[in-house]
Amino acid sequence: MTEPEHRDESPEMVAEIPVHDDAGWLTDAFIAAVHAAVEAGDSAEARRLAGDLHEADMADLVDALPEADRPVFVQLMGDKFDYTALTEMDEAVRVKLLEDLPAADIAEGLGELDSDDAVYILEDLDEEDQAAILDELPLSERVQLERALDYPEESAGRRMQTDFIAVPPFWTVGQTIDYLREDKDLPDTFYEVYVVDPGFRLVGSLALDRILRTQRAAKISTIMEEDPHSVAVKADQEEVARLFERYNLVSTAVVDDSNRLVGVLTIDDIVDVIQEEAAEDMKALAGVGDEEISDSVLTIARSRIVWLLFNLGTGLLSATVISQFEGTIEAMVALAVLMPIVASLGGNAGTQTMTVAVRAIATEELDTRNIWRVLRREVMVSFLNGSLLACLIGATAGLWFQNHGLGIVIASAIIINMFCAGLAGLMIPMTLHRFKVDPAIASSVFVTMVTDVIGFFAFLGIAALWFRLPL
Amino acid sequence: MTEPEHRDESPEMVAEIPVHDDAGWLTDAFIAAVHAAVEAGDSAEARRLAGDLHEADMADLVDALPEADRPVFVQLMGDKFDYTALTEMDEAVRVKLLEDLPAADIAEGLGELDSDDAVYILEDLDEEDQAAILDELPLSERVQLERALDYPEESAGRRMQTDFIAVPPFWTVGQTIDYLREDKDLPDTFYEVYVVDPGFRLVGSLALDRILRTQRAAKISTIMEEDPHSVAVKADQEEVARLFERYNLVSTAVVDDSNRLVGVLTIDDIVDVIQEEAAEDMKALAGVGDEEISDSVLTIARSRIVWLLFNLGTGLLSATVISQFEGTIEAMVALAVLMPIVASLGGNAGTQTMTVAVRAIATEELDTRNIWRVLRREVMVSFLNGSLLACLIGATAGLWFQNHGLGIVIASAIIINMFCAGLAGLMIPMTLHRFKVDPAIASSVFVTMVTDVIGFFAFLGIAALWFRLPL
C-alpha cells in the first residue's frame, strides 16, 4: 500500500542515492556507492552513477576516492570520464593520477578537450611523460599542443584556446549565422566572433549579442568593434588578467607579432589566473611557496624552509644587536622584559603598510606617480598610531616597574620604530618592484629585519643613554 | 617640404595628442591637455578630447585631475561623461566626487546605466545623499533601485542587473532571434537568454552560442539547459563567486524564494567580487581593515590601530611571561640575547601554516573532511623543519656563547615551539571558521600569541631547569 505512494511523491529519491547535499557538495552516500562500484570493478554501475556529473563534481569525486582507486575509477568510466575534470583538481592529485594511467588512455581523453584544457593538464608533467602522451595523439593535435607548450609558462599562448570562429568583414550577419549553424567543428563555447582579413590579421570583433540583435542583411564590417582588444601571444597571464578586469572582457583575441589571430582567451581561464595570482601573493607574503593543500610533506617542508632560514638569519642579526647591550640588560633586567614589545609592534605596523603596498603594486594602484602622496600619508599614520601606542605602553611600563624614565624610554623607542616601520613597509616593496623583484616574495624578510634591528637598538640604546648604564 | 610627408605617414599623430602610452596608460600630455581645458572652462575641448574614452580610462583621467577640478570636468563633459566610469574609481574618489556634484546631474547620469552599476555607485553614499539622488529619478527607476538597495550588502540582489531577456519555452529559435532584433530596450550586453513559465519561474537557460548554432525552427524547450544554475537573491556574493568559479559560468539567473527570475549576475561583477575577497583576506591577515590607497590618514590610522592594540595586549602577555624569569635572565644574560629568535621562528612557522589554512578554508579546499590528514602532515612538516632549524641554531648558540648546554636548551625550545606553531596555525583558523568567525580577521593575533608565549616560556623555562638558575 505504501510503496506506490512513496514512488508517486518522489520516484527518484527511492530509486537513486542523492548526489548533492544542500550545500551543493557530493553526499557521502554517493561517494560510498561509487567507491563500492570501483572496488567491485563494476564498470556499468560506476558509469550509471557518475556518468552525468559536471566536471567540477567529477573532480571532487576523484579526490574523495582513495589514491589507489582513482586510476581504476577513470578506466572503469571509459568514455564517460570527461578529462576536463582534471583541470578542476589540485595539481598534486592530477599529476599522481596521470602517472598511474596508461598514456594511450590519457591521449584519447585529451583528444576530446579544447586545446587550452589539454595544455593545462600536460604542462605540469615532466617531459618524458608529456612525450609519451603526445606520441599517442593524432599528428595535427600533437603539433597544436606542442606549439602551445613551447610558449613560456604563464603566457597567453599557454592559456589560450586555438579553436575559434573567424569570419571575413564582407560577410553579412545572415551568412555568419548560417555558417555557425552548419559548421559542426565549433568550439564548445564561445562569446565572440572575430573578424580577419585574407592574411588572417585581426581587424575586428563581434559579441554574440550584437549578432543576434542585428538584421540578417547587415555587413559584419558595419557592426563589428573596429578596435578590438587583443593580447600578444607572449604576454604574461597577469597582464592579461588586468586587461580583462579593466575592460570587463569575457573573451579576447590572442595575436602573434604580425597581428595574426592565433587563439582566444576566455574569462574562465582568467578567473583561475586571478585566483592563482592572489593566492600566490598572499602565500608569498607569509613566506610560503607555491604549495597546495594536497602536496606531500617533503614538498611543503621545502617550500617553507627557505623563508625560515632567512628569518633565522635576521634573528641572529637581532641577537647580535641585543648582545651589544648585555651589560645594559644585566644592570636593568626590565629591559629584557619589555624589548620584545617594541620589536613586535614595529613588525606589525610594518607588515600592515607592506601588505597594503604589495597589494596596491600588484593591482597597479600604487606606482611612481602617487608614491610621494602615499608616503606622506604613511608617515602621518605611523606618527598618529605610534603616538597613541607610545602613550599607552609608556604609562603601563612606568607604572609596572615604578620607573617613569623607563616609560619615557619605551615610548620614544616605539615612536621611532613605528616611523621606520611605515617607511620600510612602503619603500621596501617599491624598491624591489623597481628592480623587477616580486615584492610579495621578498618584502617580509626585509621589513621584519628593519623593525627588529631598529626596535632593539632604539630601545636598548636610549635606555643605556638615559639611565647611563654600562654596555 | 617636410610637413606634408609627416602628415602622410601618421596624420593622427600630428593633429592629436596621443591618448595612451605603450603600457596602455593615459599619457601625461593628454591629462595636461584635459586639465587645461577644465581650467579654461572649455566644454567643447574637454568633450572633444575625452568624449570617446573607455569608462576605465575615464576613471583614471578623473583620478589624475586635482580633486577640485573633478566635478567641474564632469559637468563640462555633460552627456559625454559615462557614469559607468564611477564604478571603476576608488571608493574614496567616487564618494567625494558624488558629494561635489548636483543631485540632478547624478540622477541623469545614473538613469543611463544598467541597474547593477547604478546600485554600486549609490550604495556607498550616506542615506541622505542617496535619497536626494533617488528623488530626482523617474518613478520606475527609483523603485527598482530602492528595491535593490533593500537587499543586504554583498548579496546577489545588490549586485544583480534587473534588465535581462526572458522567453517562453514554446518559442522557436527564429522567434527568439526576431524578438532580439526588434526589442530596442535590451540590456547593454548579455550572454544568456532565460526561459520562464507563465508565472515567470525559471525553467531553463540558453547560451547565445547555442541559439546561433541552431536552426530557426527548433523549439527553445528542446535546446535549453533544463537544470540551469541559479542563485538566491539573498545569497552572499562570496558564495556566488564560488559557483561561478566552480562551474565556469559567465552569467547566472537570480531567483527569489518562489524561483521567480528577478535578475542576472554577470562575470564582470563576479571578477570584482573575487578580487575584493582575495584582497580582504590578505589585508585581514596583516591586520588591516578595508582601506584603499586613496583613503584619508584618519581612515587608515583607524583601520590599523585595532590590530596594533590587540598586539600590544599579546605583547604585554609575553612580557608577563618573561618577567617570571627575571632572575634567570639576570643570572645568564645570553638568554635575553637569544630568546627573540625562538619566538620569531615560531611566529613565522605559525604564520606560514595559518596563511595556507586561511586560504584553503576560503576556497573550500580545507574542511572537516580532510582536517586530520592535513593536521598529520603539518605536524610532520613542523617536526622536519623544526629539527633542521634546531640543529643550526643549537650549534650556533653553543659556539657563540661557548656553552653546549645553551645550544641544547635553545634547540629543544625551537622544536617545541615549531610543533605548537604548526598546531596553532592550523587549528586556530579551523576553530574560528567553525564558530563562524572569519579566520582571516582573527587568526594572526591568536597564532602570534601562542608562539610568543610558548617560545619565551619554553626557552626560559628549560634554561632555568637545565642550568638550575633562580626564577
Side-chain angles (χ1 to χ4, degrees), chain A residues 25 54-57 60 88 90 177 180-181 186-191 208-209 211-216 242 245-248 250 267-268 271 274-275 278-279 281-283 285-288 291-293 295 297 300-301 304-305 307-309 311-312 315-316 319-320 322-323 326 329-330 333 336-337 339-341 345 348-349 351-353 355-356 359-360 364-365 369 374 377-378 380-381 384-385 388-389 392-393 396 400-401 418 456, chain B residues 25 54-57 60 88 90 177 180-181 186-191 208-209 211-216 242 245-248 250 267-268 271 274-275 278-279 281-283 285-288 291-293 295 297 300-301 304-305 307-309 311-312 315-316 319-320 322-323 326 329-330 333 336-337 339-341 345 348-349 351-353 355-356 359-360 364-365 369 374 377-378 380-381 384-385 388-389 392-393 396 400-401 418 456:
Chain A
W25 297 106
H54 184 277
E55 60 220 39
D57 292 327
D60 281 352
E88 305 283 337
D90 270 3
I177 295 182
L180 294 175
R181 284 191 184 140
L186 299 177
D188 280 356
T189 49
F190 56 94
Y191 310 106
L208 299 190
D209 63 345
I211 300 179
L212 281 166
R213 291 164 203 243
T214 311
Q215 302 299 328
R216 279 184 70 89
R242 292 281 157 268
E245 278 179 79
R246 185 170 170 81
Y247 296 111
N248 294 332
V250 166
I267 185 73
D268 51 320
V271 166
I274 291 174
Q275 284 283 28
D281 279 2
M282 194 163 156
K283 289 182 189 165
L285 275 177
V288 177
E291 67 174 64
E292 294 191 57
I293 205 84
D295 278 340
V297 171
I300 293 177
R304 297 189 191 173
I305 191 69
W307 203 58
L308 292 173
L309 289 174
N311 268 291
L312 181 57
L316 286 171
T320 312
I322 300 170
S323 72
E326 281 192 9
I329 293 172
E330 223 160 3
V333 78
V337 172
M339 68 182 188
I341 296 182
L345 277 178
N348 287 321
T351 304
Q352 289 182 325
T353 306
T355 304
V356 174
R359 178 74 197 166
E364 295 178 347
E365 289 169 280
R369 292 187 297 183
V374 174
R377 208 198 50 190
E378 282 300 329
M380 287 168 72
V381 169
L384 263 179
N385 285 348
L388 179 60
L389 292 169
L392 284 173
I393 187 72
T396 311
W400 182 357
F401 293 97
M418 290 284 288
F456 291 126
Chain B
W25 297 105
H54 184 276
E55 60 218 40
D57 292 327
D60 281 352
E88 304 284 337
D90 269 5
I177 295 182
L180 293 175
R181 284 190 184 144
L186 298 177
D188 280 355
T189 48
F190 55 95
Y191 312 106
L208 298 191
D209 63 345
I211 300 179
L212 281 167
R213 291 165 203 243
T214 311
Q215 302 298 328
R216 280 184 69 89
R242 291 278 159 272
E245 278 178 78
R246 185 171 169 81
Y247 296 111
N248 294 332
V250 165
I267 185 73
D268 52 319
V271 166
I274 291 174
Q275 283 284 29
D281 279 2
M282 195 162 154
K283 290 182 189 167
L285 275 176
V288 176
E291 68 174 64
E292 295 191 57
I293 205 87
D295 278 339
V297 171
I300 293 177
R304 298 190 190 171
I305 191 69
W307 202 60
L308 292 173
L309 288 173
N311 268 291
L312 180 58
L316 287 170
T320 313
I322 300 170
S323 72
E326 282 191 11
I329 293 172
E330 224 161 4
V333 79
V337 172
M339 70 183 185
I341 297 180
L345 278 178
N348 287 321
T351 303
Q352 290 182 324
T353 306
T355 304
V356 174
R359 178 74 197 168
E364 295 178 345
E365 289 168 279
R369 291 186 299 182
V374 174
R377 209 198 49 189
E378 281 300 329
M380 286 167 72
V381 170
L384 264 178
N385 285 348
L388 179 60
L389 293 169
L392 284 173
I393 187 70
T396 312
W400 184 354
F401 293 97
M418 291 283 290
F456 292 126

Side-chain angles (χ1 to χ4, degrees), chain B residues 451-469:
Chain B
T451 54
D452 275 358
V453 167
I454 293 191
F456 292 126
F457 187 77
F459 180 55
L460 297 173
I462 296 176
L465 289 175
W466 181 276
F467 297 113
R468 300 172 195 275
L469 296 173

Side-chain angles (χ1 to χ4, degrees), chain B residues 59-317:
Chain B
D60 281 352
L61 175 58
V62 170
D63 193 34
L65 294 174
E67 195 170 282
D69 283 338
R70 292 171 189 163
V72 183
F73 168 72
V74 172
Q75 290 185 292
L76 288 176
M77 291 296 288
D79 63 351
K80 281 276 195 180
F81 183 79
D82 179 355
Y83 270 67
T84 318
L86 286 166
T87 64
E88 304 284 337
M89 291 173 197
D90 269 5
E91 187 185 325
V93 176
R94 175 171 65 241
V95 170
K96 182 75 179 77
L97 177 59
L98 288 170
E99 282 170 7
D100 294 344
L101 284 171
D105 283 19
I106 300 173
E108 209 179 308
L110 294 187
E112 303 289 316
L113 301 189
D114 283 338
S115 61
D116 56 336
D117 289 333
V119 169
Y120 187 86
I121 291 169
L122 284 173
E123 66 181 357
D124 296 323
L125 299 179
D126 58 40
E127 292 213 358
E128 205 178 315
D129 290 340
Q130 265 184 21
I133 296 167
L134 287 168
D135 277 349
E136 302 279 342
L137 281 169
L139 184 65
S140 70
E141 285 177 41
R142 187 168 77 213
V143 170
Q144 201 186 28
L145 293 182
E146 279 172 347
R147 194 180 304 146
L149 287 167
D150 276 345
Y151 290 114
E153 257 189 83
E154 312 210 324
S155 69
R158 272 287 179 94
R159 293 269 159 273
M160 75 188 180
Q161 187 176 318
T162 48
D163 305 316
F164 50 79
I165 295 161
V167 300
F170 52 81
W171 274 20
T172 62
V173 166
Q175 271 175 298
T176 306
I177 295 182
D178 292 343
Y179 166 74
L180 293 175
R181 284 190 184 144
E182 276 152 33
D183 194 337
K184 292 288 157 244
D185 208 22
L186 298 177
D188 280 355
T189 48
F190 55 95
Y191 312 106
E192 280 185 317
V193 164
Y194 297 96
V195 189
V196 293
D197 71 9
F200 230 74
R201 278 180 294 266
L202 181 70
V203 296
S205 70
L206 203 50
L208 298 191
D209 63 345
R210 191 93 178 110
I211 300 179
L212 281 167
R213 291 165 203 243
T214 311
Q215 302 298 328
R216 280 184 69 89
K219 273 245 165 56
I220 293 294
S221 57
T222 62
I223 61 164
M224 70 186 187
E225 167 69 47
E226 284 184 40
D227 194 14
H229 295 286
S230 67
V231 297
V233 71
K234 286 174 193 152
D236 184 78
Q237 61 178 10
E238 196 163 0
E239 192 185 313
V240 177
R242 291 278 159 272
L243 189 80
F244 268 76
E245 278 178 78
R246 185 171 169 81
Y247 296 111
N248 294 332
L249 305 182
V250 165
S251 66
T252 186
V254 182
V255 295
D256 67 10
D257 294 340
S258 332
N259 198 34
R260 266 192 303 261
L261 183 61
V262 291
V264 172
L265 279 165
T266 50
I267 185 73
D268 52 319
D269 304 315
I270 300 304
V271 166
D272 294 341
V273 170
I274 291 174
Q275 283 284 29
E276 270 174 41
E277 301 283 348
E280 267 177 31
D281 279 2
M282 195 162 154
K283 290 182 189 167
L285 275 176
V288 176
D290 190 18
E291 68 174 64
E292 295 191 57
I293 205 87
S294 57
D295 278 339
S296 71
V297 171
L298 267 181
T299 311
I300 293 177
R302 230 173 339 197
S303 117
R304 298 190 190 171
I305 191 69
V306 183
W307 202 60
L308 292 173
L309 288 173
F310 269 108
N311 268 291
L312 180 58
T314 67
L316 287 170
L317 188 63

